[in-house]
Amino acid sequence: MPSLSTIDRVGASVLALFEFVGALSTFGARACVEAFRPPYEPREIARHLYQFGYRSAPLILTAGMAIGVVLSMHTRASLERFGAEAMIPAGLAIALIRETGPLTAGLLVSGRVGAGIGAEIGAMKVTEQIDALEANAVDAFKYLAVTRIIALMIAMPLLTVLMDFAGIFGGYLAEAAVSGMSWSLYFERAFTYISYSDLIPATLKTIVFGYLIAVAASYLGFSASRGTEGVGEASTRSVVMGSMLIILSDVVLVKIIFFFYPAVSG
Amino acid sequence: MATPARLVGVGVFVVCGLLLFTVGLFMIGDRQMAFAKKFTIFTEFRKITGLQPGSIVRVSGAKAGAIKAIAPPNVPGGKFRVEIEIAEELHPLVRMDSLASIETEGLVGGGYLGVGSGTGASPTAAAGATIASKEPFDIADLMQQMGDTIVKVNDTIQKVNDTIDEMKGDVQRAVVSGADTIDVAHKLLVDVGGDVKKMTADGARLSADAAQIAETIRKGEGTLGKLVNDDELYRRATAVATQADEIATSARQVVEQARKTLEGFQSKDGPVEGMASSLKQTMDDARKAMSGFAETMEALKHNFLLRGFFKDRGFFNLADISPAAYRQGVLTSDGARHVVRVWLQASQLFEPAPDTPAAERLTAKGKAQLDSSIGAYLDGLATGVLMVEGYAQTGTRDGEYVRSRVRASLVRDYLIGKFSLTPQMTGVMPLGRDSAGSPGNEPWDGVALAFFEAKETAKKK
Amino acid sequence: MTAVRFDNVSKRFGALAVLDAVSFDIAKGTAFCLLGRSGTGKSVTLRHIVGLVEPDSGTVFVEERDIKGLSRRELGEVRTHMGFLFQNAALFDSMSVGDNVAFPMRRHTKLSDGDIRERARKKLADVGLEADYDKMPGDLSGGMKKRAGLARAMALDPSILLVDEPSAGLDPITAKEIDDLLVATKRGGTTLVVVTHNIPSARVIGDDFAVLQEGRLLVHGTLEALDASEEPLVQAFMRSQGGG
């Protein structure tokens, strides 16, 4: 029989979990509301967009191309058995556009940007910069969190598209090395079976990824404490939390997409 | 604060992302012909296997547009109404008699809607019109269809046989009753008799084939797994049924004509010569129909679905069988055949060739021995396989192999030449020194004629 | 007329009573020095004034207005009348020193960017950092940061300046310079609220003094009253020389 203290501990951690979920949800909901209230801080959003989007592009493009090459090799291996090499571009593009692109981009951004947001806001918190903002009559929540959340919601789908195309290009490189296929034919074939219902929902769902990454990271940054150690922890937890939220939400989002676009599941 | 350089970065990023997204949209739009001028028509299917809104539409194979919507039927067994958008430039090809069908691209490709080009005689399909459709092909349906077709083919062949029998009777009766025009009748019989005989034989062969096809399908044989999407067989089977019908019709006409002609004989005052030529004409027609039917049957034999079956009957390439596979009993493994061997000694069959002593040739005595050996099996060879096994016991291993092959070939060539055996059904098998099963299990030097007879044929004897 | 008034303010963080029924007034244009050992609630008192922390009970009045009852916008407006120099300056890492100083003006004035830059330069010149406009905060020493922080706190010419440990961690010369700056600011009519434990510094700046211990005001009065106090802690304080 477990001792009373064990039950206590379990109970406490369950309560702590609920408290965390509650606080995070409140934080996220507040961001939604605040986003529609002036001031809109366009300069800050632009600054973050530069950081999250432009500066992430090299990572996304490189990773996308590498994934394209790898996927192409795998698709080739499996499709060759059926003599369906002509399907490689289409198979690759479907895999990339529907899921691999959005999810991988999400995870990479969670690693790069999520960690950055957690660390940056966390550092501002422990060095009283957030208090300084407030003391300067600036709504720190809006100024720091909402602008980042919006910027990442804008950057995420754009990065995903970059990833998709980089992946298709990487796939083309792998294919061209083997079969010498031309780019225009490859590109044409890649889109053979892609429909709007593949591209649009899969790309737009990454807006949700962006929102979740930024909300989790901002929240953890705002709750950072205990000096530099707290900053590091906020950063690490931002990545973990962001990645987890992306994967979990993806399950739900894919289901929702199937619900609204039954054609995609067929 | 955002510096101008940063703003440029943001601008580049946003523009690139949006641009690529737009490229994606346009690629899809292009595929679906979203940006071309279009018109809308409808078609209806009971099953819409693999189709979905957005699926592409091809007119005579050309990319033409996309499916806009699919409205399900509101009663069971009703038809799905499919709304199709087709590029205006292909409009002239889409006629009221164009046929819509569900196709797939390649072996594992996605489904698309094919719209056949109509005929020039038919008016262009107006926007909003509904064109006819061909229900999607389905393996279960195919089997059903095949089964039905076989039944039909059997029936028809039976009818043809009956008709031919009837006709034969009529001709004979005519000969008997029209004794005064015996010369004419005789001439007619000579002319027609060959045809009648051939048609009877053909009919018998075809009905045997059809029965065996039906049997194969019933047993579920054939390489069905490979059949992912090929409705060729369906088409063929349909063609068989159609042709069978035609034959039945022709045959009926033949009988009708024959009767009339023979009545003409009996009435004594008919234009006998004309009648005879007309009967000849009719017979020719019937024969043509029959040969068309036989061709269809032949095509069916080569359809891969039934290849396994026909292979069992000897429609394999005997030259492809390796000695190893042969020894393992590849020809008898399915249990449909049994083998009888006649062992012949080299000393009886061969003599050194006069000009090149190293080579062998058949002796006159050897030929006689072959003739007498094969006599008992000639009937069975119509449906069976003859394998000439060569054996040799002297020399090196490769020398034995070559010699055994030469011996078997000599015998085969002789038999094919002498008895008009079907070359495809007559093979050689060089077995070297390995002569398991020889009389007394002794090392055999010579040949063995291995008759692979269909068991049913054997039973009938 | 009081600039800041605490009326029975209590604040707890968990089990710890940081402020326990604290009351005091700060007259306009005077310098109020809040003394006490580390962790006695001095910084929390400052944060109450600017509304970063809300009292559990009692009321904080700034310029006669109850901070707690203000809407976010009204609070923002009150805050623009106040400058806050944080203990570690709390300069925004992501901006240059100049932008840090310009930040409050950019947020709360309708001045042109050129004017703002000019004023920011002037504010930096006031603290001796005119050459460091384009430097990033990470490149500054502790003392320079503090001076830049002071420039930012002074950017909107506040009527109340809140200063948390102005000379903590600084060399005596720099500390002296900061003190002089604060005195000059007071002369300009600004109310000062200074949290410190550097008595020499407080002697220079302060008009009014209070000593906080365990959430309670031990003494409140002029320099003379403190010197006369018999509380051992106050005596210990008044005798101490250095900062820190």
Side-chain angles (χ1 to χ4, degrees):
Chain A
M1 190 181 150
S3 70
L4 213 59
S5 70
T6 313
I7 297 173
D8 267 0
R9 271 207 301 278
V10 171
S13 35
V14 168
L15 279 182
L17 180 71
F18 278 122
E19 190 188 337
F20 176 79
V21 172
L24 188 65
S25 310
T26 315
F27 191 90
R30 197 178 143 204
C32 295
V33 176
E34 292 286 342
F36 294 100
R37 286 199 191 141
Y40 299 111
E41 315 283 2
R43 292 168 72 93
E44 275 300 293
I45 292 175
R47 187 170 77 87
H48 298 318
L49 205 48
Y50 174 82
Q51 280 293 338
F52 304 163
Y54 184 77
R55 298 291 296 277
S56 300
L59 168 74
I60 292 289
L61 289 174
T62 317
M65 264 171 64
I67 286 171
V69 170
V70 172
L71 270 185
S72 176
M73 293 194 291
H74 279 302
T75 348
R76 167 165 282 278
S78 21
L79 288 184
E80 236 171 9
R81 283 182 221 161
F82 304 104
E85 287 98 331
M87 300 279 297
I88 295 172
L92 175 103
I94 284 185
L96 264 174
I97 289 178
R98 274 197 184 176
E99 196 52 67
T100 314
L103 194 62
T104 321
L107 293 174
L108 285 173
V109 167
S110 173
R112 186 188 178 277
V113 177
I117 294 176
E120 206 182 350
I121 297 185
M124 291 187 79
K125 165 80 176 186
V126 300
T127 58
E128 296 182 310
Q129 291 178 52
I130 290 178
D131 289 334
L133 278 174
E134 287 288 338
N136 275 298
V138 172
D139 186 338
F141 179 81
K142 282 206 71 163
Y143 187 78
L144 298 177
V146 176
T147 53
R148 281 171 170 82
I149 292 166
I150 291 174
L152 199 56
M153 286 169 76
I154 297 170
M156 202 56 238
L158 296 172
L159 288 171
T160 303
V161 173
L162 288 186
M163 181 120 209
D164 291 346
F165 277 84
I168 291 174
F169 184 69
Y172 161 70
L173 292 183
E175 182 64 29
V178 178
S179 71
M181 192 186 278
S182 80
W183 166 246
S184 57
L185 177 63
Y186 189 91
F187 199 58
E188 179 76 29
R189 284 203 179 155
F191 280 88
T192 314
Y193 300 116
I194 309 281
S195 60
Y196 290 126
S197 52
D198 291 316
L199 178 66
I200 298 176
T203 307
L204 295 190
K205 82 176 172 189
T206 60
I207 295 178
V208 179
F209 291 174
Y211 171 79
L212 291 173
I213 295 169
V215 164
S218 305
Y219 171 76
L220 292 166
F222 266 99
S223 11
S225 57
R226 291 179 291 121
T228 38
E229 191 195 331
V231 176
E233 198 186 301
S235 176
T236 315
R237 289 184 66 195
S238 294
V239 179
V240 175
M241 189 72 59
S243 311
M244 210 167 71
L245 284 175
I246 285 177
I247 293 169
L248 292 180
S249 70
D250 197 34
V251 176
V252 180
L253 287 169
V254 167
K255 195 70 210 162
I256 291 175
I257 291 171
F258 283 175
F259 180 76
F260 283 106
Y261 296 88
V264 183
S265 58
Chain B
M1 289 296 120
T3 63
R6 275 187 179 171
L7 286 176
V8 170
V10 173
V12 168
F13 170 67
V14 172
V15 168
C16 283
L18 289 177
L19 204 70
L20 287 178
F21 190 66
T22 317
V23 166
L25 291 182
F26 268 83
M27 289 300 293
I28 297 166
D30 186 40
R31 189 178 70 79
Q32 298 186 350
M33 294 261 176
F35 307 106
K37 198 163 173 261
K38 281 164 300 195
F39 69 102
T40 305
I41 55 169
F42 295 88
T43 189
E44 291 177 332
F45 286 101
R46 233 174 264 289
K47 276 188 212 159
I48 51 162
T49 326
L51 279 196
Q52 58 190 47
S55 289
I56 59 174
V57 174
R58 290 177 182 275
V59 172
S60 304
K63 209 158 70 175
I67 290 177
K68 201 174 174 195
I70 298 176
N74 40 23
V75 288
K79 287 183 166 186
F80 289 87
R81 192 163 170 79
V82 181
E83 190 178 347
I84 315 164
E85 282 191 329
I86 294 178
E88 192 60 51
E89 57 175 340
L90 290 164
H91 203 154
L93 293 183
V94 184
R95 304 292 176 130
M96 287 313 288
D97 65 349
S98 285
L99 201 62
S101 56
I102 299 174
E103 313 279 351
T104 51
E105 287 185 24
L107 199 58
V108 288
Y112 72 89
L113 187 82
V115 176
S117 167
T119 56
S122 186
T124 316
T130 302
I131 60 169
S133 68
K134 199 188 93 186
E135 285 299 325
F137 161 85
D138 188 311
I139 191 68
D141 284 356
L142 171 79
M143 295 321 294
Q144 183 62 43
Q145 292 266 19
M146 270 308 286
D148 294 352
T149 309
I150 294 306
V151 169
K152 208 168 166 186
V153 168
N154 276 343
D155 287 355
T156 313
I157 287 166
Q158 194 52 51
K159 261 186 262 167
V160 173
N161 283 344
D162 291 352
T163 314
I164 290 167
D165 285 348
E166 208 179 321
M167 192 163 57
K168 265 198 299 190
D170 281 353
V171 173
Q172 272 160 4
R173 248 178 285 134
V175 173
V176 173
S177 58
D180 46 348
T181 52
I182 192 96
D183 287 343
V184 181
H186 181 72
K187 184 170 172 278
L188 186 72
L189 269 182
V190 171
D191 281 356
V192 174
D195 285 339
V196 171
K197 202 173 160 192
K198 191 169 185 305
M199 280 173 72
T200 314
D202 280 353
R205 189 164 67 83
L206 292 173
S207 65
D209 278 356
Q212 272 159 316
I213 293 171
E215 180 65 8
T216 308
I217 288 169
R218 195 181 57 72
K219 283 195 291 192
E221 284 174 12
T223 45
L224 269 184
K226 281 186 186 167
L227 188 92
V228 174
N229 183 23
D230 184 358
D231 56 2
E232 184 61 23
L233 183 63
Y234 167 78
R235 279 192 218 118
R236 290 258 168 88
T238 315
V240 169
T242 314
Q243 287 207 321
D245 272 344
E246 280 168 11
I247 289 168
T249 313
S250 308
R252 247 176 261 122
Q253 282 169 358
V254 169
V255 172
E256 213 48 46
Q257 290 270 9
R259 279 219 183 97
K260 275 187 193 155
T261 315
L262 293 168
E263 275 160 19
F265 287 148
Q266 283 156 1
S267 68
K268 295 174 194 177
D269 48 13
V272 168
E273 283 301 320
M275 285 288 187
S277 71
S278 123
L279 180 59
K280 183 103 172 74
Q281 178 63 44
T282 315
M283 279 303 187
D284 278 345
D285 289 350
R287 198 174 51 220
K288 261 181 223 155
M290 196 65 99
S291 76
F293 183 67
E295 272 167 26
T296 313
M297 221 23 137
E298 203 57 39
L300 206 54
K301 279 175 197 164
H302 291 105
N303 190 290
F304 67 89
L305 180 71
L306 299 169
R307 206 172 283 152
F309 156 67
F310 283 108
K311 224 177 189 176
D312 293 344
R313 284 199 58 222
F315 282 83
F316 36 63
N317 195 347
L318 290 180
D320 287 347
I321 301 175
S322 68
Y326 181 76
R327 281 201 193 95
Q328 279 167 18
V330 70
L331 287 172
T332 48
S333 58
D334 60 353
R337 287 190 206 84
H338 72 137
V339 60
V340 180
R341 279 192 178 78
V342 177
W343 296 84
L344 298 166
Q345 271 181 327
S347 54
Q348 306 276 325
L349 289 177
F350 305 108
E351 59 185 8
D355 39 349
T356 48
E360 288 176 328
R361 69 175 189 189
L362 279 170
T363 59
K365 198 182 163 200
K367 286 178 185 170
Q369 205 169 6
L370 285 171
D371 293 352
S372 65
S373 304
I374 201 168
Y377 301 98
L378 275 175
D379 284 348
L381 283 179
T383 52
V385 174
L386 170 63
M387 214 58 171
V388 183
E389 300 169 353
Y391 298 97
Q393 301 292 342
T394 52
T396 58
R397 206 156 178 78
D398 55 323
E400 283 165 1
Y401 176 84
V402 171
R403 181 168 286 255
S404 66
R405 183 172 185 91
V406 169
R407 284 175 171 173
S409 299
L410 279 170
V411 171
R412 175 178 179 264
D413 292 349
Y414 169 73
L415 290 175
I416 289 176
K418 173 94 190 237
F419 297 98
S420 304
L421 299 180
T422 321
Q424 290 86 351
M425 305 281 267
T426 312
V428 295
M429 187 50 62
L431 294 173
R433 63 164 59 187
D434 181 8
S435 55
S438 65
N441 261 338
E442 286 169 10
W444 198 258
D445 198 40
V447 297
L449 302 180
F451 297 100
F452 291 89
E453 291 189 306
K455 278 188 177 161
E456 282 176 24
T457 321
K459 257 183 246 163
K460 274 179 203 156
K461 276 186 184 170
Chain C
M1 178 99 171
T2 57
V4 177
R5 185 153 73 89
F6 269 51
D7 185 11
N8 239 355
V9 172
S10 295
K11 180 71 185 175
R12 303 178 76 85
F13 287 135
L16 181 72
V18 186
L19 294 180
D20 186 6
V22 172
S23 300
F24 60 83
D25 288 359
I26 303 170
K28 241 184 180 158
T30 62
F32 177 80
C33 286
L34 192 58
L35 307 167
R37 302 175 68 169
S38 301
T40 47
K42 305 190 299 291
S43 293
V44 173
T45 310
L46 278 189
R47 283 159 188 271
H48 270 97
I49 299 172
V50 80
L52 288 173
V53 180
E54 283 194 347
D56 292 339
S57 65
T59 320
V60 178
F61 295 94
V62 175
E63 296 178 327
E64 315 283 332
R65 299 170 84 175
D66 177 359
I67 287 284
K68 202 176 180 177
L70 297 179
S71 71
R72 184 141 192 116
R73 237 182 68 206
E74 291 167 322
L75 177 64
E77 198 209 314
V78 170
R79 281 172 171 174
T80 58
H81 300 166
M82 290 188 273
F84 199 132
L85 173 57
F86 287 85
Q87 190 170 344
N88 295 308
L91 295 176
F92 304 127
D93 296 328
S94 57
M95 307 174 197
S96 71
V97 174
D99 283 333
N100 260 285
V101 179
F103 185 78
M105 294 186 262
R106 290 210 168 103
R107 302 294 304 191
H108 301 297
T109 68
K110 292 192 160 47
L111 297 172
S112 73
D113 200 56
D115 286 353
I116 288 173
R117 281 166 175 276
E118 198 181 315
R119 283 179 184 227
R121 268 181 212 287
K122 203 168 149 288
K123 291 287 172 197
L124 277 174
D126 287 347
V127 295
L129 291 174
E130 58 271 42
D132 303 305
Y133 189 95
D134 291 319
K135 280 191 183 154
M136 293 307 281
D139 301 330
L140 299 186
S141 69
M144 288 161 89
K145 276 187 190 164
K146 203 134 227 183
R147 284 187 279 159
L150 183 60
R152 184 179 71 188
M154 296 298 295
L156 294 175
D157 298 319
S159 51
I160 303 170
L161 181 62
L162 311 170
V163 185
D164 197 354
E165 309 276 9
S167 48
L170 299 185
D171 64 273
I173 298 166
T174 314
K176 176 79 169 55
E177 283 170 9
I178 300 267
D179 290 346
D180 292 345
L181 279 168
L182 291 177
V183 171
T185 308
K186 185 178 75 173
R187 292 217 182 93
T190 303
T191 311
L192 292 185
V193 184
V194 182
V195 163
T196 185
H197 31 225
N198 185 332
I199 298 300
S201 160
R203 284 180 193 274
V204 176
I205 304 164
D207 300 314
D208 246 349
F209 302 83
V211 177
L212 204 56
Q213 193 193 13
E214 286 168 358
R216 290 180 162 273
L217 275 192
L218 222 50
V219 205
H220 181 202
T222 59
L223 196 56
E224 291 74 27
L226 258 68
D227 278 334
S229 169
E230 297 195 350
E231 285 282 341
L233 180 79
V234 180
Q235 286 184 359
F237 252 117
M238 297 317 284
R239 276 199 302 276
S240 68
Q241 293 297 311

